[in-house]
Amino acid sequence: MANQQPVSQGDSNLSLGFVGDFCLSGQQKNTPGALDSLMQCCNSLNENVDLSLANFECSLIPPNHKATSMVLPDSFKQQIQQSHFDVFCLANNHIKDHGGHILMHTISSLADSQFKTVGAGKDLSAAQTPLIVHKKGKDIGIINVTDATHYQANAQTAGVAPLCKKQISKSINQLKDQVDLIVVVLHADLEF
């Protein structure tokens, strides 16, 4: 489900588009062209906003990796680029299903495809580092966290930014003089 939010900043409007779980797991098994069709749908939503964000809830895997659940081979990166998302939020409960090395591979693969990511990293400091994006003359700070603490990064381990009110407040205070707008994206719920 997509949600578009216009934000008035002085004399210009900035429109933001938000999409929940962008999970492409198993798309390689679909009929040829199915992923292209899905990406065209995403593109049609994203062409109407200045900044689009989605929760990337699967992993990109290298060739010959044996994982089959919640993954997509990174050979599909070109099709993902057709979606025209600007930012993928990675703090979620599936991004590290296949370990820290696959998480880091996913971050690297998305960066190679010119996507910006937030909410996960090589350690806790990297995972909690907000992303600053420049759009239409405005700086937007993005903070992404999750309640999936089983995948939380620490000082030595790759993982996600945990949902922590104190850290969110600290990040907001650090950002508020650097940006025009702050967006906090939470991935948290009681499933089923």
Side-chain angles (χ1 to χ4, degrees), residues 97-133:
D97 281 356
H98 301 285
H101 66 290
I102 294 298
L103 166 62
M104 296 310 298
H105 177 82
T106 300
I107 292 171
S108 176
S109 290
L110 290 171
D112 289 348
S113 296
Q114 309 306 309
F115 290 109
K116 294 174 177 33
T117 62
V118 64
K122 65 180 181 167
D123 56 31
L124 185 58
S125 177
Q128 292 177 327
T129 300
L131 174 67
I132 298 177
V133 178

PDB file of all heavy atoms in Angstrom, residues 97-133:
ATOM      1  N   ASP A  97      17.995 -12.592   7.573  1.00  0.00           N
ATOM      2  CA  ASP A  97      17.643 -14.012   7.666  1.00  0.00           C
ATOM      3  C   ASP A  97      18.801 -14.937   7.290  1.00  0.00           C
ATOM      4  O   ASP A  97      18.873 -16.073   7.757  1.00  0.00           O
ATOM      5  CB  ASP A  97      16.456 -14.339   6.751  1.00  0.00           C
ATOM      6  CG  ASP A  97      15.120 -13.930   7.334  1.00  0.00           C
ATOM      7  OD1 ASP A  97      15.071 -13.453   8.483  1.00  0.00           O
ATOM      8  OD2 ASP A  97      14.108 -14.085   6.624  1.00  0.00           O
ATOM      9  N   HIS A  98      19.692 -14.479   6.439  1.00  0.00           N
ATOM     10  CA  HIS A  98      20.779 -15.333   5.942  1.00  0.00           C
ATOM     11  C   HIS A  98      22.150 -14.860   6.424  1.00  0.00           C
ATOM     12  O   HIS A  98      23.165 -15.155   5.805  1.00  0.00           O
ATOM     13  CB  HIS A  98      20.705 -15.428   4.421  1.00  0.00           C
ATOM     14  CG  HIS A  98      19.394 -15.981   3.970  1.00  0.00           C
ATOM     15  ND1 HIS A  98      19.067 -17.306   4.073  1.00  0.00           N
ATOM     16  CD2 HIS A  98      18.284 -15.365   3.494  1.00  0.00           C
ATOM     17  CE1 HIS A  98      17.827 -17.499   3.659  1.00  0.00           C
ATOM     18  NE2 HIS A  98      17.322 -16.339   3.310  1.00  0.00           N
ATOM     19  N   GLY A  99      22.145 -14.130   7.532  1.00  0.00           N
ATOM     20  CA  GLY A  99      23.395 -13.742   8.177  1.00  0.00           C
ATOM     21  C   GLY A  99      23.897 -12.366   7.795  1.00  0.00           C
ATOM     22  O   GLY A  99      23.419 -11.727   6.854  1.00  0.00           O
ATOM     23  N   GLY A 100      24.894 -11.942   8.551  1.00  0.00           N
ATOM     24  CA  GLY A 100      25.478 -10.624   8.354  1.00  0.00           C
ATOM     25  C   GLY A 100      26.171 -10.447   7.021  1.00  0.00           C
ATOM     26  O   GLY A 100      26.139  -9.361   6.441  1.00  0.00           O
ATOM     27  N   HIS A 101      26.801 -11.506   6.512  1.00  0.00           N
ATOM     28  CA  HIS A 101      27.505 -11.367   5.227  1.00  0.00           C
ATOM     29  C   HIS A 101      26.522 -11.145   4.076  1.00  0.00           C
ATOM     30  O   HIS A 101      26.806 -10.385   3.150  1.00  0.00           O
ATOM     31  CB  HIS A 101      28.414 -12.575   4.970  1.00  0.00           C
ATOM     32  CG  HIS A 101      27.689 -13.872   4.769  1.00  0.00           C
ATOM     33  ND1 HIS A 101      27.034 -14.527   5.787  1.00  0.00           N
ATOM     34  CD2 HIS A 101      27.510 -14.621   3.655  1.00  0.00           C
ATOM     35  CE1 HIS A 101      26.475 -15.631   5.313  1.00  0.00           C
ATOM     36  NE2 HIS A 101      26.744 -15.719   4.021  1.00  0.00           N
ATOM     37  N   ILE A 102      25.343 -11.753   4.133  1.00  0.00           N
ATOM     38  CA  ILE A 102      24.337 -11.533   3.092  1.00  0.00           C
ATOM     39  C   ILE A 102      23.689 -10.159   3.274  1.00  0.00           C
ATOM     40  O   ILE A 102      23.386  -9.474   2.293  1.00  0.00           O
ATOM     41  CB  ILE A 102      23.286 -12.657   3.068  1.00  0.00           C
ATOM     42  CG1 ILE A 102      23.951 -13.979   2.652  1.00  0.00           C
ATOM     43  CG2 ILE A 102      22.131 -12.321   2.132  1.00  0.00           C
ATOM     44  CD1 ILE A 102      24.558 -13.984   1.242  1.00  0.00           C
ATOM     45  N   LEU A 103      23.516  -9.719   4.516  1.00  0.00           N
ATOM     46  CA  LEU A 103      23.048  -8.353   4.756  1.00  0.00           C
ATOM     47  C   LEU A 103      24.005  -7.359   4.109  1.00  0.00           C
ATOM     48  O   LEU A 103      23.582  -6.447   3.384  1.00  0.00           O
ATOM     49  CB  LEU A 103      22.931  -8.074   6.259  1.00  0.00           C
ATOM     50  CG  LEU A 103      22.773  -6.604   6.665  1.00  0.00           C
ATOM     51  CD1 LEU A 103      21.493  -6.008   6.103  1.00  0.00           C
ATOM     52  CD2 LEU A 103      22.830  -6.459   8.169  1.00  0.00           C
ATOM     53  N   MET A 104      25.291  -7.515   4.345  1.00  0.00           N
ATOM     54  CA  MET A 104      26.276  -6.584   3.781  1.00  0.00           C
ATOM     55  C   MET A 104      26.332  -6.696   2.256  1.00  0.00           C
ATOM     56  O   MET A 104      26.514  -5.695   1.562  1.00  0.00           O
ATOM     57  CB  MET A 104      27.658  -6.813   4.406  1.00  0.00           C
ATOM     58  CG  MET A 104      27.707  -6.510   5.909  1.00  0.00           C
ATOM     59  SD  MET A 104      26.998  -4.886   6.364  1.00  0.00           S
ATOM     60  CE  MET A 104      28.100  -3.782   5.477  1.00  0.00           C
ATOM     61  N   HIS A 105      26.151  -7.904   1.724  1.00  0.00           N
ATOM     62  CA  HIS A 105      26.081  -8.075   0.276  1.00  0.00           C
ATOM     63  C   HIS A 105      24.876  -7.314  -0.297  1.00  0.00           C
ATOM     64  O   HIS A 105      24.967  -6.675  -1.337  1.00  0.00           O
ATOM     65  CB  HIS A 105      25.996  -9.557  -0.097  1.00  0.00           C
ATOM     66  CG  HIS A 105      25.852  -9.789  -1.561  1.00  0.00           C
ATOM     67  ND1 HIS A 105      26.922  -9.789  -2.420  1.00  0.00           N
ATOM     68  CD2 HIS A 105      24.739  -9.993  -2.336  1.00  0.00           C
ATOM     69  CE1 HIS A 105      26.495  -9.980  -3.652  1.00  0.00           C
ATOM     70  NE2 HIS A 105      25.172 -10.110  -3.631  1.00  0.00           N
ATOM     71  N   THR A 106      23.748  -7.385   0.406  1.00  0.00           N
ATOM     72  CA  THR A 106      22.536  -6.685  -0.029  1.00  0.00           C
ATOM     73  C   THR A 106      22.760  -5.183  -0.046  1.00  0.00           C
ATOM     74  O   THR A 106      22.418  -4.503  -1.027  1.00  0.00           O
ATOM     75  CB  THR A 106      21.346  -7.047   0.891  1.00  0.00           C
ATOM     76  OG1 THR A 106      21.133  -8.462   0.822  1.00  0.00           O
ATOM     77  CG2 THR A 106      20.084  -6.316   0.483  1.00  0.00           C
ATOM     78  N   ILE A 107      23.348  -4.653   1.026  1.00  0.00           N
ATOM     79  CA  ILE A 107      23.635  -3.210   1.091  1.00  0.00           C
ATOM     80  C   ILE A 107      24.544  -2.805  -0.058  1.00  0.00           C
ATOM     81  O   ILE A 107      24.298  -1.808  -0.744  1.00  0.00           O
ATOM     82  CB  ILE A 107      24.254  -2.840   2.455  1.00  0.00           C
ATOM     83  CG1 ILE A 107      23.219  -3.005   3.574  1.00  0.00           C
ATOM     84  CG2 ILE A 107      24.812  -1.419   2.433  1.00  0.00           C
ATOM     85  CD1 ILE A 107      23.791  -2.876   4.982  1.00  0.00           C
ATOM     86  N   SER A 108      25.589  -3.577  -0.299  1.00  0.00           N
ATOM     87  CA  SER A 108      26.541  -3.281  -1.376  1.00  0.00           C
ATOM     88  C   SER A 108      25.873  -3.362  -2.750  1.00  0.00           C
ATOM     89  O   SER A 108      26.088  -2.497  -3.614  1.00  0.00           O
ATOM     90  CB  SER A 108      27.717  -4.255  -1.293  1.00  0.00           C
ATOM     91  OG  SER A 108      28.607  -4.059  -2.355  1.00  0.00           O
ATOM     92  N   SER A 109      25.062  -4.389  -2.957  1.00  0.00           N
ATOM     93  CA  SER A 109      24.376  -4.555  -4.245  1.00  0.00           C
ATOM     94  C   SER A 109      23.409  -3.406  -4.506  1.00  0.00           C
ATOM     95  O   SER A 109      23.321  -2.901  -5.636  1.00  0.00           O
ATOM     96  CB  SER A 109      23.609  -5.882  -4.286  1.00  0.00           C
ATOM     97  OG  SER A 109      24.501  -6.960  -4.337  1.00  0.00           O
ATOM     98  N   LEU A 110      22.672  -2.992  -3.484  1.00  0.00           N
ATOM     99  CA  LEU A 110      21.747  -1.870  -3.653  1.00  0.00           C
ATOM    100  C   LEU A 110      22.515  -0.578  -3.933  1.00  0.00           C
ATOM    101  O   LEU A 110      22.107   0.220  -4.786  1.00  0.00           O
ATOM    102  CB  LEU A 110      20.847  -1.726  -2.428  1.00  0.00           C
ATOM    103  CG  LEU A 110      19.810  -2.843  -2.247  1.00  0.00           C
ATOM    104  CD1 LEU A 110      19.130  -2.732  -0.886  1.00  0.00           C
ATOM    105  CD2 LEU A 110      18.773  -2.825  -3.369  1.00  0.00           C
ATOM    106  N   ALA A 111      23.638  -0.378  -3.245  1.00  0.00           N
ATOM    107  CA  ALA A 111      24.460   0.813  -3.488  1.00  0.00           C
ATOM    108  C   ALA A 111      25.015   0.811  -4.913  1.00  0.00           C
ATOM    109  O   ALA A 111      25.039   1.854  -5.579  1.00  0.00           O
ATOM    110  CB  ALA A 111      25.595   0.899  -2.470  1.00  0.00           C
ATOM    111  N   ASP A 112      25.444  -0.357  -5.394  1.00  0.00           N
ATOM    112  CA  ASP A 112      25.939  -0.477  -6.772  1.00  0.00           C
ATOM    113  C   ASP A 112      24.870  -0.095  -7.783  1.00  0.00           C
ATOM    114  O   ASP A 112      25.177   0.340  -8.892  1.00  0.00           O
ATOM    115  CB  ASP A 112      26.412  -1.906  -7.071  1.00  0.00           C
ATOM    116  CG  ASP A 112      27.707  -2.268  -6.357  1.00  0.00           C
ATOM    117  OD1 ASP A 112      28.374  -1.354  -5.818  1.00  0.00           O
ATOM    118  OD2 ASP A 112      28.032  -3.469  -6.319  1.00  0.00           O
ATOM    119  N   SER A 113      23.612  -0.268  -7.399  1.00  0.00           N
ATOM    120  CA  SER A 113      22.491   0.060  -8.278  1.00  0.00           C
ATOM    121  C   SER A 113      21.954   1.469  -8.018  1.00  0.00           C
ATOM    122  O   SER A 113      20.859   1.809  -8.452  1.00  0.00           O
ATOM    123  CB  SER A 113      21.366  -0.959  -8.091  1.00  0.00           C
ATOM    124  OG  SER A 113      21.810  -2.235  -8.492  1.00  0.00           O
ATOM    125  N   GLN A 114      22.737   2.263  -7.286  1.00  0.00           N
ATOM    126  CA  GLN A 114      22.418   3.672  -7.017  1.00  0.00           C
ATOM    127  C   GLN A 114      21.263   3.882  -6.048  1.00  0.00           C
ATOM    128  O   GLN A 114      20.664   4.954  -6.020  1.00  0.00           O
ATOM    129  CB  GLN A 114      22.159   4.441  -8.324  1.00  0.00           C
ATOM    130  CG  GLN A 114      23.235   4.294  -9.377  1.00  0.00           C
ATOM    131  CD  GLN A 114      24.634   4.646  -8.855  1.00  0.00           C
ATOM    132  OE1 GLN A 114      24.822   5.693  -8.273  1.00  0.00           O
ATOM    133  NE2 GLN A 114      25.585   3.743  -9.031  1.00  0.00           N
ATOM    134  N   PHE A 115      20.917   2.874  -5.262  1.00  0.00           N
ATOM    135  CA  PHE A 115      19.903   3.050  -4.227  1.00  0.00           C
ATOM    136  C   PHE A 115      20.576   3.505  -2.938  1.00  0.00           C
ATOM    137  O   PHE A 115      21.662   3.044  -2.608  1.00  0.00           O
ATOM    138  CB  PHE A 115      19.149   1.743  -3.950  1.00  0.00           C
ATOM    139  CG  PHE A 115      18.242   1.316  -5.066  1.00  0.00           C
ATOM    140  CD1 PHE A 115      18.558   0.218  -5.840  1.00  0.00           C
ATOM    141  CD2 PHE A 115      17.073   2.011  -5.351  1.00  0.00           C
ATOM    142  CE1 PHE A 115      17.731  -0.191  -6.873  1.00  0.00           C
ATOM    143  CE2 PHE A 115      16.231   1.620  -6.380  1.00  0.00           C
ATOM    144  CZ  PHE A 115      16.565   0.514  -7.143  1.00  0.00           C
ATOM    145  N   LYS A 116      19.887   4.355  -2.211  1.00  0.00           N
ATOM    146  CA  LYS A 116      20.330   4.747  -0.884  1.00  0.00           C
ATOM    147  C   LYS A 116      19.638   3.823   0.118  1.00  0.00           C
ATOM    148  O   LYS A 116      18.495   3.438  -0.086  1.00  0.00           O
ATOM    149  CB  LYS A 116      19.971   6.204  -0.617  1.00  0.00           C
ATOM    150  CG  LYS A 116      20.717   7.179  -1.521  1.00  0.00           C
ATOM    151  CD  LYS A 116      20.232   8.591  -1.319  1.00  0.00           C
ATOM    152  CE  LYS A 116      20.968   9.621  -2.120  1.00  0.00           C
ATOM    153  NZ  LYS A 116      21.473   9.274  -3.404  1.00  0.00           N
ATOM    154  N   THR A 117      20.357   3.472   1.179  1.00  0.00           N
ATOM    155  CA  THR A 117      19.782   2.604   2.208  1.00  0.00           C
ATOM    156  C   THR A 117      19.981   3.231   3.579  1.00  0.00           C
ATOM    157  O   THR A 117      20.878   4.062   3.780  1.00  0.00           O
ATOM    158  CB  THR A 117      20.408   1.192   2.191  1.00  0.00           C
ATOM    159  OG1 THR A 117      21.809   1.294   2.467  1.00  0.00           O
ATOM    160  CG2 THR A 117      20.188   0.504   0.846  1.00  0.00           C
ATOM    161  N   VAL A 118      19.149   2.798   4.512  1.00  0.00           N
ATOM    162  CA  VAL A 118      19.220   3.282   5.878  1.00  0.00           C
ATOM    163  C   VAL A 118      18.664   2.186   6.792  1.00  0.00           C
ATOM    164  O   VAL A 118      17.870   1.357   6.365  1.00  0.00           O
ATOM    165  CB  VAL A 118      18.419   4.605   6.035  1.00  0.00           C
ATOM    166  CG1 VAL A 118      16.934   4.405   5.781  1.00  0.00           C
ATOM    167  CG2 VAL A 118      18.657   5.263   7.391  1.00  0.00           C
ATOM    168  N   GLY A 119      19.149   2.165   8.046  1.00  0.00           N
ATOM    169  CA  GLY A 119      18.575   1.254   9.032  1.00  0.00           C
ATOM    170  C   GLY A 119      19.328  -0.032   9.275  1.00  0.00           C
ATOM    171  O   GLY A 119      18.943  -0.814  10.132  1.00  0.00           O
ATOM    172  N   ALA A 120      20.405  -0.265   8.553  1.00  0.00           N
ATOM    173  CA  ALA A 120      21.221  -1.468   8.759  1.00  0.00           C
ATOM    174  C   ALA A 120      22.654  -1.136   8.377  1.00  0.00           C
ATOM    175  O   ALA A 120      22.904  -0.217   7.601  1.00  0.00           O
ATOM    176  CB  ALA A 120      20.702  -2.638   7.922  1.00  0.00           C
ATOM    177  N   GLY A 121      23.589  -1.911   8.920  1.00  0.00           N
ATOM    178  CA  GLY A 121      24.985  -1.651   8.599  1.00  0.00           C
ATOM    179  C   GLY A 121      25.922  -2.654   9.211  1.00  0.00           C
ATOM    180  O   GLY A 121      25.497  -3.617   9.857  1.00  0.00           O
ATOM    181  N   LYS A 122      27.219  -2.395   9.030  1.00  0.00           N
ATOM    182  CA  LYS A 122      28.261  -3.330   9.450  1.00  0.00           C
ATOM    183  C   LYS A 122      28.388  -3.441  10.967  1.00  0.00           C
ATOM    184  O   LYS A 122      28.950  -4.400  11.481  1.00  0.00           O
ATOM    185  CB  LYS A 122      29.606  -2.929   8.861  1.00  0.00           C
ATOM    186  CG  LYS A 122      30.123  -1.599   9.381  1.00  0.00           C
ATOM    187  CD  LYS A 122      31.464  -1.221   8.793  1.00  0.00           C
ATOM    188  CE  LYS A 122      31.905   0.113   9.398  1.00  0.00           C
ATOM    189  NZ  LYS A 122      33.291   0.392   9.115  1.00  0.00           N
ATOM    190  N   ASP A 123      27.871  -2.438  11.686  1.00  0.00           N
ATOM    191  CA  ASP A 123      27.867  -2.448  13.143  1.00  0.00           C
ATOM    192  C   ASP A 123      26.757  -1.520  13.623  1.00  0.00           C
ATOM    193  O   ASP A 123      26.051  -0.911  12.806  1.00  0.00           O
ATOM    194  CB  ASP A 123      29.241  -2.052  13.713  1.00  0.00           C
ATOM    195  CG  ASP A 123      29.732  -0.705  13.209  1.00  0.00           C
ATOM    196  OD1 ASP A 123      28.896   0.191  12.919  1.00  0.00           O
ATOM    197  OD2 ASP A 123      30.959  -0.522  13.107  1.00  0.00           O
ATOM    198  N   LEU A 124      26.599  -1.403  14.943  1.00  0.00           N
ATOM    199  CA  LEU A 124      25.499  -0.615  15.489  1.00  0.00           C
ATOM    200  C   LEU A 124      25.585   0.850  15.081  1.00  0.00           C
ATOM    201  O   LEU A 124      24.572   1.468  14.731  1.00  0.00           O
ATOM    202  CB  LEU A 124      25.453  -0.747  17.009  1.00  0.00           C
ATOM    203  CG  LEU A 124      24.288  -0.064  17.717  1.00  0.00           C
ATOM    204  CD1 LEU A 124      22.947  -0.595  17.203  1.00  0.00           C
ATOM    205  CD2 LEU A 124      24.396  -0.245  19.226  1.00  0.00           C
ATOM    206  N   SER A 125      26.774   1.403  15.096  1.00  0.00           N
ATOM    207  CA  SER A 125      26.938   2.806  14.716  1.00  0.00           C
ATOM    208  C   SER A 125      26.485   3.043  13.276  1.00  0.00           C
ATOM    209  O   SER A 125      25.750   3.998  12.984  1.00  0.00           O
ATOM    210  CB  SER A 125      28.402   3.238  14.886  1.00  0.00           C
ATOM    211  OG  SER A 125      28.579   4.555  14.452  1.00  0.00           O
ATOM    212  N   ALA A 126      26.897   2.182  12.368  1.00  0.00           N
ATOM    213  CA  ALA A 126      26.498   2.312  10.963  1.00  0.00           C
ATOM    214  C   ALA A 126      25.004   2.098  10.790  1.00  0.00           C
ATOM    215  O   ALA A 126      24.347   2.819  10.028  1.00  0.00           O
ATOM    216  CB  ALA A 126      27.277   1.326  10.096  1.00  0.00           C
ATOM    217  N   ALA A 127      24.445   1.135  11.509  1.00  0.00           N
ATOM    218  CA  ALA A 127      23.013   0.848  11.392  1.00  0.00           C
ATOM    219  C   ALA A 127      22.165   2.016  11.882  1.00  0.00           C
ATOM    220  O   ALA A 127      21.095   2.287  11.338  1.00  0.00           O
ATOM    221  CB  ALA A 127      22.671  -0.422  12.167  1.00  0.00           C
ATOM    222  N   GLN A 128      22.631   2.720  12.917  1.00  0.00           N
ATOM    223  CA  GLN A 128      21.869   3.820  13.492  1.00  0.00           C
ATOM    224  C   GLN A 128      22.130   5.163  12.819  1.00  0.00           C
ATOM    225  O   GLN A 128      21.475   6.145  13.154  1.00  0.00           O
ATOM    226  CB  GLN A 128      22.183   3.946  14.990  1.00  0.00           C
ATOM    227  CG  GLN A 128      21.660   2.792  15.806  1.00  0.00           C
ATOM    228  CD  GLN A 128      22.023   2.881  17.271  1.00  0.00           C
ATOM    229  OE1 GLN A 128      23.082   3.388  17.640  1.00  0.00           O
ATOM    230  NE2 GLN A 128      21.151   2.368  18.128  1.00  0.00           N
ATOM    231  N   THR A 129      23.050   5.207  11.869  1.00  0.00           N
ATOM    232  CA  THR A 129      23.366   6.467  11.215  1.00  0.00           C
ATOM    233  C   THR A 129      22.217   6.891  10.303  1.00  0.00           C
ATOM    234  O   THR A 129      21.851   6.163   9.385  1.00  0.00           O
ATOM    235  CB  THR A 129      24.665   6.350  10.387  1.00  0.00           C
ATOM    236  OG1 THR A 129      25.735   6.006  11.266  1.00  0.00           O
ATOM    237  CG2 THR A 129      24.980   7.645   9.665  1.00  0.00           C
ATOM    238  N   PRO A 130      21.639   8.074  10.572  1.00  0.00           N
ATOM    239  CA  PRO A 130      20.561   8.551   9.700  1.00  0.00           C
ATOM    240  C   PRO A 130      21.086   8.822   8.296  1.00  0.00           C
ATOM    241  O   PRO A 130      22.275   9.068   8.090  1.00  0.00           O
ATOM    242  CB  PRO A 130      20.117   9.863  10.370  1.00  0.00           C
ATOM    243  CG  PRO A 130      20.612   9.773  11.774  1.00  0.00           C
ATOM    244  CD  PRO A 130      21.871   8.961  11.710  1.00  0.00           C
ATOM    245  N   LEU A 131      20.192   8.778   7.351  1.00  0.00           N
ATOM    246  CA  LEU A 131      20.501   9.089   5.962  1.00  0.00           C
ATOM    247  C   LEU A 131      20.026  10.515   5.693  1.00  0.00           C
ATOM    248  O   LEU A 131      18.930  10.891   6.118  1.00  0.00           O
ATOM    249  CB  LEU A 131      19.770   8.112   5.033  1.00  0.00           C
ATOM    250  CG  LEU A 131      19.854   8.367   3.532  1.00  0.00           C
ATOM    251  CD1 LEU A 131      21.283   8.171   3.019  1.00  0.00           C
ATOM    252  CD2 LEU A 131      18.902   7.439   2.793  1.00  0.00           C
ATOM    253  N   ILE A 132      20.827  11.294   5.009  1.00  0.00           N
ATOM    254  CA  ILE A 132      20.401  12.635   4.590  1.00  0.00           C
ATOM    255  C   ILE A 132      20.321  12.645   3.078  1.00  0.00           C
ATOM    256  O   ILE A 132      21.278  12.303   2.389  1.00  0.00           O
ATOM    257  CB  ILE A 132      21.354  13.727   5.105  1.00  0.00           C
ATOM    258  CG1 ILE A 132      21.363  13.741   6.641  1.00  0.00           C
ATOM    259  CG2 ILE A 132      20.941  15.097   4.550  1.00  0.00           C
ATOM    260  CD1 ILE A 132      22.326  14.730   7.261  1.00  0.00           C
ATOM    261  N   VAL A 133      19.148  13.009   2.571  1.00  0.00           N
ATOM    262  CA  VAL A 133      18.887  13.042   1.132  1.00  0.00           C
ATOM    263  C   VAL A 133      18.534  14.475   0.742  1.00  0.00           C
ATOM    264  O   VAL A 133      17.802  15.158   1.463  1.00  0.00           O
ATOM    265  CB  VAL A 133      17.709  12.098   0.769  1.00  0.00           C
ATOM    266  CG1 VAL A 133      17.396  12.152  -0.705  1.00  0.00           C
ATOM    267  CG2 VAL A 133      18.028  10.670   1.183  1.00  0.00           C
TER     268      VAL A 133
END
